[in-house]
């Protein structure tokens, strides 16, 4: 708790960043993912500082100043790569130099991204990018695939892909901070409820399930059908002795 995270959606305003063959702009993808990531990090109790929340120009110096003044604990800069080689399609996380906290964060983030997206693993890379060089906090720069790769551009157009990216980034950051990444897969409406611990356990054990809209509705009375389903789930677990 009490962590302060700087999120930097790359580019914006007059600077579109990379543009895919289908016209998708890097600045749109980075902002959308950053706003979803902000929401997830707030669930962890983190304070999130965004370098922009709209399609506006923000210089690199302004971004760095903002993060340094806010004394953030970690900076995550979001980008999408582009290459003349239209086959390139890997995920990569950049750091200034190995051996420090940035590398530790990068390892968690990169692992979660590769597992979630199933895109090629470009690994942890070193680069002297301004944002990595000038921020006082440990900083990582994530290249979320390639806009120059037509299939990846099509995937990055989808909300679902962006949600997957935000979730993987959030999980990686949570793991780096030593926080519980399973918070993100729990129904949001049980968080802070007096019975949160009990409900979490029932969900983990598979006795009860949330609703498809991502809620659990902890104060809604159970129907006789839901009770029957819950009891049968319990019986199944006992007979398969998975408890
Ligand atoms: Zn970029």
């Amino acid at each position: 708790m009490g962590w302060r995270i700087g999120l930097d959606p790359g580019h914006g305003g007059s600077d579109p960043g990379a543009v895919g063959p289908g016209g998708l702009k890097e600045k749109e993808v980075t902002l959308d993912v950053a706003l979803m990531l902000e929401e997830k990090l707030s669930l962890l109790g983190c304070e999130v500082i965004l370098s922009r929340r709209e399609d506006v120009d923000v210089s690199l110096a302004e971004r760095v100043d903002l993060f340094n003044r806010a004394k953030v604990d970690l900076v995550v800069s979001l980008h999408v790569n582009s290459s003349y080689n239209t086959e390139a399609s890997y995920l990569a996380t950049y750091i200034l130099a190995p051996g420090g906290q940035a590398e530790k964060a990068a390892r968690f983030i990169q692992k979660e991204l590769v597992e979630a997206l199933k895109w090629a693993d470009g690994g942890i890379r070193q680069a002297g990018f301004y944002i990595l060089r000038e921020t006082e906090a440990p900083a990582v720069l994530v290249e979320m695939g390639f806009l120059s790769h037509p299939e990846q551009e099509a995937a990055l157009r989808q909300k679902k892909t962006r949600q997957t990216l935000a979730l993987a980034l959030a999980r990686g950051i949570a793991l780096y901070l030593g926080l519980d990444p399973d918070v993100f897969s729990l129904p949001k409406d049980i968080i802070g409820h007096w019975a949160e611990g009990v409900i979490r356990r029932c969900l983990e054990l598979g006795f009860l399930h949330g609703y498809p809209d991502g809620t659990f509705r902890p104060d809604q009375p159970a129907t006789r059908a839901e009770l029957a389903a819950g009891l049968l789930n319990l019986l199944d677990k006992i007979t398969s002795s998975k408890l």
Side-chain angles (χ1 to χ4, degrees), residues 105-242:
R107 295 217 171 274
F108 281 117
I109 289 169
Q110 178 70 13
K111 181 168 182 283
E112 292 297 321
L113 284 168
V114 170
E115 277 179 20
L117 275 299
K118 314 259 187 278
W119 294 349
D121 185 359
I124 313 292
R125 298 178 176 219
Q126 254 182 281
F129 296 135
Y130 186 89
I131 199 105
L132 300 181
R133 218 174 53 226
E134 301 297 328
T135 50
E136 284 153 17
V140 304
L141 184 146
V142 181
E143 293 281 5
M144 306 180 288
F146 280 76
L147 272 174
S148 46
H149 187 275
E151 280 162 42
Q152 228 154 49
E153 182 196 25
L156 287 164
R157 237 181 238 289
Q158 311 282 324
K159 193 75 179 171
K160 181 139 185 19
T161 308
R162 298 177 186 184
Q163 280 166 342
T164 305
L165 284 162
L167 178 61
L169 289 160
R171 287 184 56 90
I173 294 167
L175 288 164
Y176 166 69
L177 297 173
L179 303 173
D180 180 8
D182 290 335
V183 166
F184 307 122
S185 45
L186 291 171
K188 276 184 201 163
D189 57 356
I190 71 162
I191 294 164
H193 192 276
W194 67 267
E196 177 184 337
V198 178
I199 299 168
R200 279 175 85 128
R201 195 91 180 97
C202 287
L203 290 167
E204 282 161 14
L205 291 167
F207 299 162
L208 300 174
H209 304 286
Y211 288 96
D213 66 358
T215 65
F216 184 78
R217 303 177 208 167
D219 296 312
Q220 176 180 285
T223 63
R224 289 167 59 80
E226 285 171 328
L227 181 62
L231 286 171
L232 193 62
N233 288 339
L234 175 63
L235 181 66
D236 285 348
K237 295 286 171 181
I238 292 169
T239 51
S240 67
S241 66
K242 286 263 168 63

Side-chain angles (χ1 to χ4, degrees), residues 10-11 17-18 26 78-80 143:
H11 312 280
E26 180 181 356
L78 300 177
H79 288 260
V80 188
E143 293 281 5

